[in-house]
Amino acid sequence: MSKKKILFICGSLNQTTIMHQISQNLSDDYDCWFTHYYADDFVKMYAKLRLIDFTIVGNGNFRKQTLAYFNTHNLQVDYRGEKFNSEYELAFTCSDLIVPKNIRDKKILLIQEGMTDPETFAYYLVKYLHLPRWSASTSTTGMSNLYTYFCIASEGYRELFIRKGADPSKLIVTGIPNFDDVHKYFDNDFPHKNYLLVATSDMRETWKYENRKKLIKRAVQIAEGRQIIFKLHPNENIKRATEEINKYAPGSLIYTNGNTNYMIANCDILLTRYSSVVLVAAVLGKKVYSDLSEDVLKKLTPIQNSGTSAESIARLGRSLIEQPAKNEKEIHEEFELKQALSH
């Protein structure tokens, strides 16, 4: 008898590694297949014309890194979930900004990827004028309600997603892989310590405004003589960013790759704008300068469960396949983690 099939829809490298961790708890009993993130209709056409290569649905660096990861880890690839579409019992996805048509008749588990974008003018256009969710980036995460359940990082995020319109009965605080055991990052081989880390963003590459000169000068001011290390966003224009840093903060070290979590673990201070790195820094007790207030960041901090989120989410998926009669109350009683586990 053949194994039941599950589809994992990946995105950035962070999202892809989250999906892979979940699949590793299911692969002995289920036939697990992977695809990069994909869309339908005119968004699909934009991707084909390479007009949106800076997004996870485009053909740029995000997709190249994801496909390379599939190859390195010998994962089974079903492009756009088309080969076995009628056979999938369940789909895991890293985002609901776009929910492909060919999974909408299936059970869907949406997994929070990390920080969501701030609520800009575009967010309110989506909320009140019903523009496509993707037009406001990840600020609209969870608003589709097209998923069966949404696995999230903390009680703070539950409040945030409900305020934005997510169905409360579909939200389950499971913790999220990559953010549920961050103290392990203290054990690392990154050679520097006691510096100011600046984690840059790809705001300019994704058509948002950022005053980079102001950010760099703020870093120099906050550092008060400490070494400054810049970790550039993987989607960033490296040449332009490097020239700016060398001009306004000469002597700074610049990293374009490497383990960002290790860099956070060894720093004294983190400066960023709106990035998932603040979630790691907050748990590790670092001094953080970002666009979030300390109170908001404290509420959003991901629950810590010694790295068991992937296993818990996989059990939830298994339950949806094997015990379809289980009701929402039973699901919540079995899979909800309590915020008290956080610290």
Side-chain angles (χ1 to χ4, degrees), residues 244-303:
E244 293 166 336
I245 293 166
N246 288 334
K247 180 176 181 179
Y248 298 113
S252 299
L253 301 178
I254 303 171
Y255 284 83
T256 59
N257 52 41
N259 191 315
T260 307
N261 292 323
Y262 290 175
M263 298 178 195
I264 296 170
N266 287 9
C267 79
D268 284 345
I269 305 170
L270 172 70
L271 172 63
T272 187
R273 292 291 309 277
Y274 221 97
S275 167
S276 294
V277 298
V278 300
L279 301 178
V280 175
V283 176
L284 296 181
K286 303 296 179 179
K287 178 64 177 177
V288 176
Y289 291 88
S290 74
D291 288 2
L292 290 174
S293 70
E294 287 189 16
D295 288 342
V296 170
L297 183 55
K298 186 176 180 181
K299 288 181 66 175
L300 297 179
T301 298
I303 199 166

Side-chain angles (χ1 to χ4, degrees), residues 8 12 31 94 159 175 187 209 230 237 242 253 260 262 264 331:
F8 292 85
S12 66
D31 195 12
C94 58
E159 294 178 18
D187 182 15
Y209 172 74
F230 284 83
N237 181 329
T242 300
L253 301 178
T260 307
Y262 290 175
I264 296 170
I331 290 288

Side-chain angles (χ1 to χ4, degrees), residues 96-97 116-117 122-123 126-127 132-144 161 164:
D96 70 330
L97 302 190
T116 56
D117 283 340
Y123 166 81
V126 171
K127 184 169 185 176
R133 289 181 302 281
W134 51 261
S135 57
S137 192
T138 60
S139 66
T140 59
T141 295
M143 290 172 62
S144 75
F161 291 128
K164 290 183 175 184

